[in-house]
């Protein structure tokens, strides 16, 4: 609307001030990004004082919604469920304090200021963009988190740790969530816009964007590309990874999201921790408190009977990663709010899409499997029983043993107080083997034969245990099979010892060392057999996960049943050295030195360092020319200019033809000028 003499000379969104108050200045200081349920301010510059009978109003527009949101002055305060504003005059300026409802739809808005005389529109400014996020600091918001101190971790921290390995040998590696990096917020909204209901029924989708339950289901559906919906990541669980990136190489969500946004197709490749980490980035960016979870000895119950049938060593996973997000559940009876399990790894369909959750932790712990969403599947992942079977030469199955304590162990997340592992197993289930845990298991509906929660007795009072140190990839190491006879008579036994390579989710890659011995174990004595596993044997079959599964089967003479014992042994990686200067100043160039020594007895070719860090530098590769001989040390220098102040993590990954995914991390404290 053109006017020769406009009263509204300009509008200052006060983005830097508002974003600082709304804890969004890490995302951007130029664009207005605010959190719902919390006031923000605009300054309207006038060419002349406002005349009597004239008033200002704000108009908000959302894409795909025809109805505008018109925000007018409320002198006595407004309603908590509606937009309203308060106006203060100062000469030729008006300060507008705008109040958004805590149930407003999150996303991009377009904002304009109108000059009104009654119902007559006199002037309107051009529309400008603003962005609205969830607000876990606001008590009226459905994602309100009661301990503000922990939001430094579950919303604001861009640096994480993902825990992997096995239940007996856990380790954490760094991950850059990067939720405040350039363009990440825009990509998060782009992900929501690609969600199928957003295109099939846009108005209804926009109306539901106030609800964290609805949006979280959209996020975990869109993080995987299995529904041919343009999702972010393509999963692949076994080599070769032709045409993409090996999942263990990723260190950050940011290059994944950027690559997806540019290509508009699924990024190759991901496994469970990559799916979980990217989902964590999106949820934290939107303002929903979120943490990454690792469940060791995770089960996948395919037939819904809450038991996992294992023929020697089939089924089950060394670990599985998902996320938890904090929200109230208005769609459920009271008491089911709080942490909710969400899993973007494509395993089973939920309401027609590959996604899982949100499901309340309380429902899992109490065995309330009728509570939505997907409670039976998640319950089995952490609380199924294992039944071991032996397959005879005639194809007949013999039940060796059952175990109620091997699934769902050491459930872990990063501590909010450091990079250490926090064990949250007791948030998922009662103490393993306790009467209450078995009561919950029965309530959940066990439908298999055999004694509930009772492990089969060991034949002849003989027990088998497998022991090992923490080996490093590239070395030979010993595994000890220990047979203890607790009976009063000696026992003759055939011990079969098998070693094979597996992926983290128990895909078998091949056996590399087998042996069988016949032993006699005197009464009340222990017999030990030591097997040395050789690098020259396992190097050709292990996957990028570097996991070796060792199984022992003891068959006692005169006994019908056998004993089976199994351990998963993760091979740790060598270390990288990262040297940084003592002082790191914002916007001032620094130089780091990265050093690596080849620990293998063979040369390494095609060596490459990949570096990145939220607030420090984008992803960069440094290639090493020629071979790296056994024991040879290589060093590279890298200069960059820190872009944001605060505690930052500088991440390094080294890859070569024979050794991949050697990780390193250095913590930098970037101080402002």
């Amino acid at each position: 609307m053109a006017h020769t003499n406009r009263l509204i000379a300009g509008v200052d969104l006060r983005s830097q001030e508002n974003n600082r108050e709304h804890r969004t200045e890490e995302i951007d200081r130029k664009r207005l990004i605010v959190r719902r349920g919390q006031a923000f301010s605009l300054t309207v510059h006038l060419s002349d004082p406002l005349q009597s009978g004239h008033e200002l109003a704000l108009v908000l527009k959302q894409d795909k919604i025809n109805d505008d949101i018109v925000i007018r002055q409320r002198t006595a305060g407004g309603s908590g469920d509606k937009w309203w504003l308060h106006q203060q005059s100062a000469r030729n300026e008006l300060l507008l304090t705008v109040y958004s409802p805590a149930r407003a739809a999150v996303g991009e808005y377009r904002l304009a200021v109108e000059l009104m005389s009654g119902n007559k529109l006199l002037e309107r400014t051009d529309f400008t963009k603003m962005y609205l996020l969830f607000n876990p600091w606001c008590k009226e918001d459905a994602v309100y988190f009661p301990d503000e101190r922990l939001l430094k971790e579950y919303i604001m921290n861009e640096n994480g740790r993902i825990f992997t390995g096995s239940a007996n040998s856990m380790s954490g590696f760094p991950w850059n969530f990067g939720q405040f990096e350039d363009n990440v917020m825009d990509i998060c909204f782009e992900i929501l816009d690609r969600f199928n209901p957003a295109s099939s029924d846009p108005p209804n989708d926009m109306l539901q964007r106030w609800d964290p339950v609805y949006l979280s289901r959209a996020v975990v559906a869109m993080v995987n590309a299995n529904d041919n919906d343009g999702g972010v990541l393509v999963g692949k669980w076994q080599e070769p990874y032709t045409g993409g990136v090996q999942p263990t190489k990723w260190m950050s969500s940011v290059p994944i999201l950027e690559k997806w946004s540019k290509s508009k197709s699924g990024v190759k490749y991901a496994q469970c921790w990559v799916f979980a980490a990217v989902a964590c980035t999106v949820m934290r960016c939107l303002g929903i408190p979120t943490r990454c979870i690792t469940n060791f000895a995770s089960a996948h119950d395919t037939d819904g009977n809450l038991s996992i049938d294992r023929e020697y060593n089939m089924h089950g996973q060394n670990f599985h990663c998902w996320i938890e997000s904090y929200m109230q559940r208005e769609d459920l009876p009271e008491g089911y709010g709080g942490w909710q399990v969400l899993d973007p790894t494509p395993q089973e369909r939920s309401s027609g899409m590959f996604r899982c959750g949100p499901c309340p932790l309380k429902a899992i712990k109490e065995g309330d499997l009728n509570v939505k969403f997907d409670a039976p599947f998640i319950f089995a992942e952490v609380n199924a029983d294992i039944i071991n079977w032996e397959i005879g030469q005639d194809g007949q199955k013999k039940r060796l043993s059952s175990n109620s304590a091997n699934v769902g162990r050491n459930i872990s997340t990063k501590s909010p107080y450091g990079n250490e592992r926090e064990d949250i197993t007791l948030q998922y289930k009662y103490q393993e083997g306790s009467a209450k845990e078995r009561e919950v298991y029965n309530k959940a509906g066990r439908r298999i034969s055999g004694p509930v929660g009772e492990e089969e007795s060991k034949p002849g009072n003989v027990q088998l245990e497998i022991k090992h140190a923490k080996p490093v990839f590239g070395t030979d190491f010993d595994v000890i099979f220990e047979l203890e006879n607790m009976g009063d008579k000696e026992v003759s036994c055939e011990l079969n010892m098998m070693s094979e390579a597996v992926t983290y989710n128990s895909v078998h890659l091949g056996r590399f060392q087998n042996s069988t011995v016949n032993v006699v174990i005197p009464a009340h004595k222990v017999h030990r057999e030591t097997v040395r596993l050789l690098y020259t044997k396992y190097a050709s079959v292990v996957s990028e996960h570097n996991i070796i599964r060792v199984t022992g089967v003891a068959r006692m003479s005169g006994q019908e049943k056998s004993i089976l014992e199994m351990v998963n042994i993760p091979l740790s990686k060598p270390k990288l050295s990262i040297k940084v200067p003592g002082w790191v100043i914002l916007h001032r160039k620094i130089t780091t030195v990265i050093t690596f020594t080849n620990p293998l007895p063979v040369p390494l070719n095609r060596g490459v360092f990949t570096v990145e860090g939220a607030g420090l530098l984008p992803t960069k590769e440094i290639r090493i020319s020629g071979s790296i001989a056994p024991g040879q040390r290589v060093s590279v220098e890298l200069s960059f200019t820190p872009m944001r102040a605060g505690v930052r993590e500088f991440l390094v990954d080294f890859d070569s033809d024979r050794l991949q995914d050697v990780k390193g991390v250095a913590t930098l404290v970037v101080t402002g000028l």
Side-chain angles (χ1 to χ4, degrees):
M1 182 176 289
H3 291 270
T4 55
N5 298 310
R6 297 183 65 92
L7 181 64
I8 303 175
V11 179
D12 181 2
L13 298 182
R14 304 166 67 109
S15 296
Q16 187 167 340
E17 175 188 336
N18 284 317
N19 291 5
R20 182 170 59 250
E21 292 295 320
H22 286 250
R23 301 174 177 87
T24 61
E25 64 177 344
E26 290 275 2
I27 302 175
D28 204 329
R29 297 186 181 187
K30 296 180 179 179
R31 296 183 294 173
L32 179 60
I33 305 169
V34 293
R35 299 187 186 277
R36 65 187 193 177
Q38 181 178 342
F40 61 96
S41 300
L42 312 175
T43 301
V44 180
H45 301 282
L46 305 175
S47 58
D48 291 298
L50 201 63
Q51 298 179 18
S52 177
H54 291 181
E55 68 170 353
L56 296 182
L58 294 182
V59 176
L60 296 180
K61 288 182 176 289
Q62 289 176 283
D63 287 342
K64 306 169 187 175
I65 298 284
N66 293 325
D67 296 333
D68 296 343
I69 300 171
V70 180
I71 310 170
R72 297 185 182 276
Q73 163 88 339
R74 294 289 183 269
T75 56
S79 169
D81 61 351
K82 296 186 183 301
W83 293 81
W84 61 285
L85 64 83
H86 179 67
Q87 178 178 305
Q88 292 176 286
S89 300
R91 295 183 182 178
N92 287 358
E93 289 184 346
L94 290 177
L95 177 67
L96 304 183
T97 303
V98 185
Y99 297 84
S100 64
R103 294 169 67 94
V106 300
E108 178 183 307
Y109 291 76
R110 288 176 291 136
L111 177 151
V113 178
E114 294 182 337
L115 175 65
M116 305 292 295
S117 176
N119 292 323
K120 184 179 179 183
L121 175 63
L122 302 179
E123 292 181 25
R124 175 189 283 172
T125 65
D126 293 335
F127 280 93
T128 186
K129 290 181 179 180
M130 63 164 280
Y131 303 84
L132 194 67
L133 303 177
F134 288 101
N135 192 351
W137 289 271
C138 174
K139 289 184 177 180
E140 288 74 38
D141 197 306
V143 302
Y144 171 67
F145 196 86
D147 191 336
E148 184 173 325
R149 297 170 300 173
L150 298 185
L151 291 176
K152 292 179 181 178
E153 174 71 25
Y154 301 137
I155 290 289
M156 303 302 294
N157 196 356
E158 294 182 89
N159 305 316
R161 290 294 182 274
I162 309 293
F163 293 94
T164 60
S166 69
N168 298 318
S169 183
M170 298 165 283
S171 61
F173 67 89
W175 189 273
N176 169 23
F177 294 118
Q179 65 266 30
F180 302 136
E181 289 285 86
D182 290 347
N183 304 317
V184 168
M185 182 191 71
D186 303 88
I187 296 171
C188 291
F189 289 135
E190 188 180 350
I191 289 170
L192 296 180
D193 289 340
R194 293 284 295 275
F195 185 47
N196 274 337
S199 56
S200 61
D201 190 357
N204 184 55
D205 172 73
M206 295 300 292
L207 289 173
Q208 294 191 75
R209 289 198 181 184
W210 71 269
D211 182 7
V213 174
Y214 175 79
L215 275 193
S216 65
R217 280 179 70 72
V219 169
V220 294
M222 286 300 299
V223 165
N224 72 75
N226 275 48
D227 292 308
N228 297 316
D229 53 4
V232 176
L233 282 160
V234 176
K236 198 171 192 300
W237 281 264
Q238 200 169 352
E239 294 177 322
Y241 298 108
T242 307
V245 174
Q246 184 170 294
T248 50
K249 184 176 174 61
W250 298 115
M251 298 185 293
S252 170
S253 304
V254 179
I256 294 171
L257 292 170
E258 290 177 340
K259 188 171 184 178
W260 173 82
S261 181
K262 290 176 183 176
S263 67
K264 298 298 186 293
S265 61
V267 177
K268 300 174 180 179
Y269 291 104
Q271 291 171 4
C272 69
W273 66 92
V274 185
F275 288 112
V278 171
C280 184
T281 295
V282 176
M283 297 293 275
R284 286 187 182 182
C285 185
L286 294 175
I288 302 175
T290 301
R291 58 190 186 182
C292 280
I293 306 298
T294 302
N295 176 39
F296 289 97
S298 188
H300 185 165
D301 182 16
T302 57
D303 56 12
N305 67 358
L306 303 185
S307 72
I308 307 300
D309 293 327
R310 191 168 61 185
E311 298 173 2
Y312 269 24
N313 51 5
M314 295 178 66
H315 307 294
Q317 304 179 73
N318 288 284
F319 65 89
H320 181 57
C321 296
W322 55 69
I323 61 170
E324 290 174 6
S325 293
Y326 198 92
M327 65 189 74
Q328 297 307 309
R329 292 297 300 269
E330 296 183 20
D331 58 326
L332 296 177
E334 188 175 351
Y336 286 108
W339 288 115
Q340 312 284 318
V341 174
L342 288 150
D343 193 348
T345 300
Q347 297 184 90
E348 305 284 344
R349 292 184 185 274
S350 176
S351 300
M353 301 181 193
F354 279 100
R355 56 183 173 179
C356 184
C359 178
L361 246 62
K362 178 183 177 181
I364 301 305
K365 184 168 184 175
E366 300 298 335
D368 297 335
L369 302 194
N370 61 328
V371 172
K372 60 184 180 182
F373 294 91
D374 311 307
F377 182 81
I378 299 167
F379 184 90
E381 287 186 300
V382 301
N383 217 356
D385 281 2
I386 293 291
I387 301 176
N388 293 312
W389 301 87
E390 182 177 21
I391 309 300
Q393 293 183 350
D394 58 359
Q396 294 297 310
K397 292 171 62 175
K398 285 184 182 179
R399 179 167 168 163
L400 295 177
S401 62
S402 66
N403 194 303
S404 62
N406 274 350
V407 167
R409 299 167 60 191
N410 300 327
I411 303 175
S412 304
T413 189
K414 176 187 173 296
S415 168
Y417 307 109
N419 292 324
E420 299 78 22
R421 185 183 73 89
E422 179 181 344
D423 194 300
I424 57 171
T425 307
L426 293 181
Q427 295 182 31
Y428 277 82
K429 55 185 179 180
Y430 290 95
Q431 187 68 46
E432 197 69 73
S434 67
K436 185 64 176 177
E437 186 266 337
R438 289 290 87 186
E439 177 187 327
V440 168
Y441 187 91
N442 290 332
K443 173 184 175 182
R446 178 169 183 172
R447 296 184 296 275
I448 60 173
S449 60
V452 175
E454 179 184 331
E455 190 164 341
E456 299 286 333
S457 61
K458 302 293 183 181
N461 293 316
V462 173
Q463 291 188 352
L464 172 61
E465 186 175 2
I466 303 174
K467 298 180 178 180
H468 61 90
K470 293 185 177 180
V472 177
F473 180 81
T475 63
D476 302 338
F477 63 95
D478 291 338
V479 176
I480 300 171
F481 295 78
E482 189 171 276
L483 285 160
E484 182 178 5
N485 181 2
M486 296 180 294
D488 296 327
K489 297 180 180 180
E490 71 174 26
V491 175
S492 297
C493 170
E494 179 189 82
L495 177 63
N496 182 232
M497 299 166 286
M498 297 168 285
S499 302
E500 62 183 327
V502 296
T503 65
Y504 86 95
N505 59 335
S506 294
V507 174
H508 299 260
L509 302 176
R511 293 179 181 175
F512 60 88
Q513 284 185 233
N514 276 359
S515 59
T516 301
V517 295
N518 293 298
V519 300
V520 175
I521 315 167
H524 304 294
K525 295 293 184 181
V526 174
H527 179 85
R528 295 179 179 88
E529 288 288 333
T530 300
V531 174
R532 171 150 291 195
L533 301 187
L534 306 176
Y535 168 74
T536 54
K537 296 285 188 181
Y538 67 72
S540 61
V541 290
V542 292
S543 72
E544 68 276 15
H545 305 106
N546 286 345
I547 297 175
I548 290 175
R549 176 168 292 174
V550 175
T551 304
V553 179
R555 299 177 175 87
M556 263 58 65
S557 297
Q559 297 282 343
E560 183 178 346
K561 293 186 178 179
S562 304
I563 307 171
L564 181 145
E565 195 64 36
M566 176 194 311
V567 295
N568 295 310
I569 307 175
L571 306 177
S572 62
K573 300 287 180 66
K575 303 295 184 183
L576 284 169
S577 169
I578 306 171
K579 291 184 179 180
V580 297
W583 293 95
V584 183
I585 308 297
L586 183 67
H587 302 315
R588 185 176 295 176
K589 182 180 290 187
I590 66 168
T591 300
T592 61
V593 179
I594 306 165
T595 303
F596 169 74
T597 301
N598 178 9
L600 301 188
V602 292
L604 303 178
N605 297 297
R606 300 192 296 278
V608 58
F609 292 97
T610 304
V611 300
E612 61 184 285
L616 296 176
L617 76 167
T619 303
K620 181 179 179 64
E621 288 189 348
I622 306 169
R623 298 192 176 275
I624 306 299
S625 60
S627 295
I628 306 172
Q632 181 182 346
R633 178 184 178 192
V634 293
S635 294
V636 296
E637 288 190 356
L638 175 68
S639 297
F640 60 91
T641 303
M643 300 174 286
R644 289 189 279 135
V647 178
R648 304 289 168 192
E649 288 194 339
F650 178 69
L651 308 183
V652 181
D653 171 87
F654 174 79
D655 290 303
S656 66
D657 59 340
R658 294 176 179 267
L659 182 62
Q660 293 85 37
D661 313 310
V662 179
K663 310 290 187 186
V665 58
T667 301
L668 284 66
V669 180
V670 182
T671 57
L673 295 174

